[in-house]
Amino acid sequence: MVLAAGVGKRMKSKTSKVLHEVAGKPIITRTVGIVASLNPSQIVIVASSQNAKDVKRILNEKPAIAIQKEALGTADATKAGLTKIKEGIKDIAVLYGDDTAFYKPQTILNVFALHRKTSAKITFVTLEKENPSGLGRIVRENGKLIGIVEEKDATKKERQIKEINDGLYFFSKDWLLQNLSKLLPSPVTGEYYLTDLIKIALSQNQKVETYKLKDPGQWHGINTPEELEEANSKLKNKIHIMGIVGAGAAAVAGIAKAYGFKVSGCDISPQSAYSKGLGIKVQKGHDSGHLKAADMLIISPAVLKLDPKNREVAKAKSLKIPVSTWQEFQGEYLQEGKFVIAVAGAYGKSTTTAMVSQILIDAGLDPTCEVGAKVLSWDKNFRVGKSKYFVCEADEYNNNFLNYSPDIAVILNIVWEHPDFFKSEKDITASYQKFIDNIKPGGTLITGSDPLILKHRKNVKTEKIGSDPNITNIKLSIIGNFRKENAAAALSVAKALNLDLQKAKKSIENFKGLGRRLELKGEIDGVKFYDDYAVQPYTVKTTADALKEEFKDKKVLLVFEPHTFSRIETFFGDFVSALKKSNVDKIYITEVFTAREKGNKKTLAKKLAKKVGKKAKFTGSLAQTAQEVKDNLGKFEIVLSMGAGDIYKLYDFFK
């Protein structure tokens, strides 16, 4: 039950208190979003006759609305809310609509766990506050709780107390129903206070528990314009993103902007396919002057690896401006209060994430989505929805996916990858185990048939991809039967959400694919140009063979750009085998794309081409390779550019 009927006289505004915005969202939206993420049996909002219409309009989840006819205090509001409670509910959480807008969902679960464990009639949260002016005080005698007194009714001595209650209670419903009518109005204000129920419970020798908030920053009373301004500052409303044109950073920028953050950004090259249409001015290069109006600096993890002494980062730290990666920012701010569906795995993440997103969209669930590649039907790699659902790609590199606490986690596969970060198979397995440990209690883990055994948690439901016979006979409109496993994983998510599986299959069948995932770039002189992001031995061979299978009678040229020295050197034998055994007719191998590493671009690539044999040829730089393709274009009907670096630009040379 969320109490949202308060007029908010101290706010000095005609707008109802909970309708004021924090970081672009009405306060009530933030609070209800946090509650909804806990999957309660029911949500009841207690509104006033003045603000009920607006509350209904802005809350997408359409919870039950109860009306408090007169402003007669929190207990009277609770009494109104009880008229809407369903049968069979044993415990009721009562939250103040404004004070609890910053709570972490896990904290509320912890309070509930204490309430259940102790069989208390009332469990409520307290915290220490240096300046508790205007707030109710916790009164103890020799450390033992004896009651709460509202400041309006407090004695001079009681006003010196710094421990306060913060507007979050759990009640045994039956006890609450029996005792609400016993309350008397305050002799000062005439209002009925929930806090007086604590006196009644104690007088009956009933169990009353307190939960002291370890992180007082989760509580923020918003009663005045000044407190509203502090709340906005607390959310670090102005963010500056370094490396904003990258796929993940651009998606986060677009979502953050839609969520009400004021976003600026910079990059060495200020334009990319991902940054187009953001409506955000991107400054060229990195300069500490970009931080003049920033509350937070958001960076890519690569910045610290490639440029650990970056002046912009150093300046932010000297100014005490918080610095976080875009993954940290997404997990802490954009996914706060959301039902998170995160898709992990060495390969197939982007396709599966996009398929899950499309299923939810077609089911009318209106998700917010972040994908690591452009979704062709969206013409961008993110989508902003208005519901509680947040779908994201969960990248294991740099342990980035440990910033997320999913309700549903998908692990497609686990393969030793990114040897510059994970030094062994053991390291990567340990990282995935931590990812599993981050799943919210009561959540769901969906896994592929992976040879690496992970310890599954008892309080998390587990399902194997493809174990349900209803998830079969999947038809795809995109090239590659290997994508059927991605489709099966997406349908497993649909099953976990109790969605219509036949309708979900239709979404999969109509899925048009992603940019850089066997994407048809165009046709020149009768030659079709495809492009793909594959960088691992398995995905290189599987993807190239899928295209050859699609065009059995056509001559296929694979133009492969090796990605990073560490990857090619660590898995050199696997790359040789994959390229040698691939069914394509010819392979051009370019210089190594160095990414975050340093070394000789040509030596390793030449060695790889030589080991692959006659089918392969080292072709040098991208420009030299383009010339080689041009000179031999008449020998092929299909050209496939492949790699995670600049190889996608190959078609542009011809266009």
Side-chain angles (χ1 to χ4, degrees), residues 44 50 63 71 95 114 122 158 199 231 254 257 292 315 317 349 366 375 401 439 465 498 530 552 594 619:
V44 174
Q50 288 77 30
L95 302 87
L114 176 67
I122 306 173
E158 287 169 340
K199 291 179 184 177
K257 183 185 174 189
K292 285 178 183 175
K315 182 68 172 177
K317 289 178 178 177
K349 292 188 293 292
D366 196 20
V375 181
F401 61 0
I439 299 171
I465 295 169
N498 295 314
Y530 284 83
K552 289 187 178 74
T594 59
T619 50

Side-chain angles (χ1 to χ4, degrees), residues 20 23 67 73 88 107 130 148 192 292 354 357 376 392 432 507 622 643:
H20 283 83
I67 304 296
T107 301
E130 196 59 38
I148 300 180
Y192 295 84
K292 285 178 183 175
S357 299
L376 297 180
C392 74
Y432 273 95
S507 296
L622 185 58

Side-chain angles (χ1 to χ4, degrees), residues 66-79:
I67 304 296
Q68 184 184 21
K69 295 177 181 177
E70 295 181 72
L72 291 176
T74 53
D76 182 70
T78 302
K79 189 175 181 181

Side-chain angles (χ1 to χ4, degrees), residues 12 60 111 115 216 341-342 358 362 374 421 424-425 507 556 567 587 629 655:
K12 299 174 184 176
N60 195 55
V111 181
H115 180 69
I341 303 168
Q358 198 57 56
D362 293 344
K374 182 173 77 173
F421 183 75
S424 68
E425 190 173 85
S507 296
V556 177
R567 179 183 279 117
I587 302 170
V629 175
K655 197 175 72 168

